[in-house]
Amino acid sequence: MYLLEQLRERAAAGRPVRVGLVGAGKFGSMFLSQAPTTGGLEVRVIADLDPDRARAACGAVGWDDARIARTRFTPDAHEAIRADDVDVVVEATGDPAAGIVHAHAAFAAGRHIVMVNVEADVLAGPLLAAEARAAGVVYTLAYGDQPALTCELVEWARACGFDVVAAGKGTKYLPAYHASTPDTVWEHYGLTAAEARAAGMNSRMFNSFLDGTKSAIEMAAIANATGLTPPPDGLRFPPCSREHLAHVLRPAEIGGQLHHKGQVEVVSSLERDGRPVPHDLRWGVYVVVEAPNEYAAACFRQYGMNTDDTGRYSAMYKPFHLIGLELNVSVLAAGLLGRPTGAARDFAGDVAATAKRDLAAGEMLDGEGGYTVYGTLLPAPASLERGALPIGLAHGAALKRAIGAGEVVRWDDVELDPGLAAVQARRAMEARFAAGPRGR
């Protein structure tokens, strides 16, 4: 209610929170749909490579002609970021290299930035967040997306005095999905390619959801924001219902499936034989906590918490997320309170490009959701030790040697221009954060 009270005061004073949106795709369109019903928030400028498409998107989500007419549309993201009548930039391109460039432009212009582009956050988020703090602006994960919602649950648990055992989200997963390509993705969703095209669904984006890359990216973002850490050899995706979160997501030594306490993990809505898990958490997020004492454990029982068989581990979860429809929370937290809804603090998790099939020397990697690689979540120290190529730099990189299916691609395996802004930012982030929190 504090956000709403301040927003109403700003609206009454004629000082709305002014937004510049970069990227009017699905996430951006969902955010735009809420603007007409949010008094005190105004989208002043929308940057998209196709301004006519962006203008049409506004009409499709319910904007009237007058609102469209008073909004500026441009193909130039920097024009939107530097605009004098913008307080908060929403970066929703999904392109990690572009996201880093746009973040730096926002810092230089003194603008807060909501980084919907979690791909950019995982590539260099700890550095970007530190640079934002130095510039006196907010850099934040996007509320409505699963990383920020999970961070909120972790903060709730820690603020209440609980030890966080695990946190993460649900998804649809089978091991075979790692090899999925844009040509095969729709059969796993029960759709034909024609049906997907008619619905405007992007095959690469949906393939990233399916092949495990998006899950790895989102868990890395949570790890970097919360200090929770990944399992040593990638996500395990254990099948799990909402009711059994506390039983499955506890350490292996007491009968669970976690490698360690304080871990990020994704639960699957499918059993390994393909059967659906009843009461799954496919669309939601969770946190598993441990009672600090017998009294708290007794309270778990008294208040109907779903616990494991010891009664000491319990879970809280949010069964759904509304993506861009919830983004206002981040925009207003930044614009009114000067606070993020989750932001990277340390380099705890990384996402390594991993071969989907045997790849030949000279082949061109095509990045997230493509035909050649998927993302594997690794602890940051392990990624650095192996010289793993971040998935965010795997688009358009030519292989210098053959890579076997399931093998992690290394920096030394590809040709990359060291002068690229994304490469430079990544290398700077590694140099600054490789030693962990004490290395700063």
Side-chain angles (χ1 to χ4, degrees), residues 3-4 7 17 38 40-41 327-338:
L3 276 178
L4 187 58
L7 186 63
V17 176
T38 309
L41 182 148
L327 187 63
N328 280 359
V329 175
S330 287
V331 172
L332 299 179
L336 297 175
L337 306 181

Side-chain angles (χ1 to χ4, degrees), residues 278-419:
H279 310 294
D280 66 76
L281 196 70
R282 178 178 175 184
W283 307 107
V285 297
Y286 75 88
V287 63
V288 174
V289 300
E290 182 179 9
N293 50 56
E294 290 299 331
Y295 183 84
C299 290
F300 285 172
R301 293 190 296 273
Q302 293 161 9
Y303 287 88
M305 295 285 283
N306 55 343
T307 67
D308 73 331
D309 52 9
T310 72
R312 295 191 65 90
Y313 293 87
S314 187
M316 287 288 257
Y317 60 87
K318 185 174 184 177
F320 304 105
H321 66 297
L322 288 175
I323 320 176
L325 300 183
E326 299 179 80
L327 187 63
N328 280 359
V329 175
S330 287
V331 172
L332 299 179
L336 297 175
L337 306 181
R339 302 294 298 174
T341 50
R345 305 292 298 190
D346 298 308
F347 185 35
D350 197 19
V351 183
T354 306
K356 288 188 172 183
R357 54 175 173 79
D358 291 340
L359 301 173
E363 277 200 71
M364 192 74 71
L365 302 182
D366 58 355
E368 181 184 353
Y371 295 84
T372 58
V373 291
Y374 66 93
T376 297
L377 179 68
L378 293 175
S383 178
L384 293 177
E385 183 179 352
R386 296 169 71 171
L389 179 71
I391 190 70
L393 295 177
H395 189 87
L399 286 174
K400 295 191 288 187
R401 71 173 183 93
I403 304 290
E407 184 179 349
V408 168
V409 183
R410 299 173 300 136
W411 283 87
D412 291 344
D413 295 330
V414 297
E415 298 281 359
L416 277 177
D417 180 358

Side-chain angles (χ1 to χ4, degrees), residues 114-276:
V114 179
M115 187 58 80
V116 176
N117 187 344
V118 69
E119 291 80 4
D121 181 76
V122 169
L123 186 59
L127 179 70
L128 297 176
E131 291 175 340
R133 290 191 292 270
V137 297
V138 173
Y139 171 92
T140 179
L141 295 173
Y143 198 89
D145 222 354
Q146 287 165 304
L149 297 179
T150 305
C151 289
E152 180 181 51
L153 287 177
V154 171
E155 183 175 30
W156 162 83
R158 289 172 170 166
C160 291
F162 294 119
D163 188 18
V164 174
V165 178
K169 69 165 195 170
T171 196
K172 179 181 180 180
Y173 171 83
L174 289 174
Y177 291 169
H178 287 309
S180 178
T181 73
D183 290 340
T184 64
V185 63
W186 299 126
E187 65 191 56
H188 299 302
Y189 284 102
L191 297 170
T192 67
E195 289 170 336
R197 281 194 301 272
M201 300 166 73
N202 183 299
S203 61
R204 289 182 67 98
M205 180 178 71
F206 277 83
N207 197 45
S208 174
F209 299 154
L210 192 74
D211 70 10
T213 301
K214 185 66 75 174
S215 289
I217 288 171
E218 293 185 335
M219 292 306 103
I222 293 166
N224 293 339
T226 64
L228 300 174
T229 51
D233 296 312
L235 295 167
R236 298 181 179 182
F237 298 95
C240 186
S241 69
R242 304 174 193 177
E243 291 82 0
H244 295 120
L245 287 165
H247 180 79
V248 173
L249 297 171
R250 57 182 181 168
E253 60 264 26
I254 57 172
Q257 296 193 39
L258 291 183
H259 176 268
H260 60 272
K261 283 187 181 180
Q263 181 179 316
V264 291
E265 187 56 84
V266 176
V267 295
S268 176
S269 64
L270 296 176
E271 299 286 356
R272 288 296 189 260
D273 61 6
R275 288 178 297 118

